[in-house]
Amino acid sequence: MIRLFLAAMIFSSVAVADRGGWVASGGELFRFGKNPWFLKNTTTVEYCVEIDRATISASESDVYAAVSDAIEYWKREFDPQQAMLSKPGFVTVGTQTFTRVSPCRADLALTFKIGAGTLDVDELKSLVEPSKYVGVSIRKEYDQVTMTGKGIVYISSDRGPQAYNQRPNSGHLYPEAWKEKKLLTYALIHEMGHVFGIPHTGVGLMSEVFLEQLLHKKFVQFYLDKALDNFLSPPMNFDVCMLSGSFNTTFFQIPNDTACLRFEGVMTAGNIEWKLSTLKTPKDTPVPAGTLKASMMMQFAVSAKPALIVQLPSEQTVFSLMNRNMNTFLIGPMFSDSTAQGVFQTPVSTRPNAVQVELRTDSILMTAVVSGKLTPVLVYSPPSLLNKIFPIGP
Ligand SMILES: [Zn+2]
């Protein structure tokens, strides 16, 4: 049964899809097709935004803000790794200063086209039917010597005959989605991920079906409610409720009828500080339950996986032999899975309790000694999209 549904989901993604790293002309090898558009030799990027106001439900100022938020999202994600990525064999991305200019000019490396009316004749010809796409990034040119790209990020109309939900079998898509700035920001984050060189991966923001899921009537509320997740590092703000994991009430010294345990945290230089609170129902007012402080022990040591790889053309002059560690590729920002050693303290306890925290980009596991036995005291994994379609439990 589930297998059948899965097949339907995958096929339906063909109806409304996006493409990353597609090149209309220039005859480049596919091998460099996914490289970032900008590397360390580009320090500033001027971009412009064209809006087809008749077919876009968002205000002009919301579109500008969403574009800027999407760029800043990735800069924030990459920032903590830039020092490490400056070493030989690695590559920094997203180091540029992005500035919006107006009006658009043919020489700009990055143009945001919001709504079908902004597409020129060639772009229309290439996309064939713009309403097939919720969003798409098109790198039109790539200079293999300077390793710089040039192209557009297109976001579909959400009103009128060219809107993403005007095709047969698109009735499951939420209409006029760009009225919600957060949904537009999510779509732009996905497309900017491609501009920064991140291919389709995993089940989150950069998954191949992300844009389709984002606008799926069943998921829209989920994305509107939940805080924007990190992409490269583990979640810092989350609620552990029955469907998203479990917790040990003895260890956390909380009432047995606690429905959810809320974590609100910040990570600074490998140190995490979480404020915990309990909720009797998922919509209840939170009651403070203590603090959990943890320090990372083995950052990058545990199954570090690169989020992107940059392939080096033989003509390139950006990276010296030493820069590239003699390789024909460079390793970009990595998913930062790690292990942290921490202590938990309630608002009234005088003695902190030791806890080990396994941090993954898609899950958190905490282990501690409870009544003399090593016990998992918290398991969290973000509610998966599949769970939203097929709820488990009561
Ligand atoms: Zn994509």
Side-chain angles (χ1 to χ4, degrees), residues 18 190 194 200:
D18 82 315
H190 179 96
H194 291 317
H200 286 145

Side-chain angles (χ1 to χ4, degrees), residues 262 277-288:
R262 174 165 295 173
S277 47
T278 58
L279 296 97
K280 280 237 166 80
T281 64
K283 301 269 175 200
D284 197 15
T285 314
V287 177

Side-chain angles (χ1 to χ4, degrees), residues 191-253:
E191 295 311 330
M192 278 309 292
H194 291 317
V195 172
F196 286 123
I198 300 175
H200 286 145
T201 177
V203 293
L205 271 178
M206 292 309 293
S207 93
E208 192 162 2
V209 293
F210 177 73
L211 294 184
E212 169 105 9
Q213 286 168 346
L214 175 71
L215 300 192
H216 197 295
K217 282 175 180 166
K218 283 190 172 145
F219 303 139
V220 162
Q221 203 53 46
F222 169 76
Y223 284 109
L224 288 175
D225 288 347
K226 103 198 234 289
L228 195 56
D229 269 339
N230 301 326
F231 180 70
L232 295 171
S233 54
M236 286 292 112
N237 298 295
F238 53 91
D239 286 0
V240 190
C241 304
M242 208 190 331
L243 291 180
S244 57
S246 63
F247 47 85
N248 184 302
T249 53
T250 310
F251 176 78
F252 289 105
Q253 302 171 46

Side-chain angles (χ1 to χ4, degrees), residues 256-275:
N256 282 330
D257 62 351
T258 303
C260 302
L261 191 54
R262 174 165 295 173
F263 282 71
E264 291 168 297
V266 281
M267 189 186 323
T268 329
N271 294 307
I272 304 166
E273 182 165 346
W274 271 304
K275 287 195 194 337

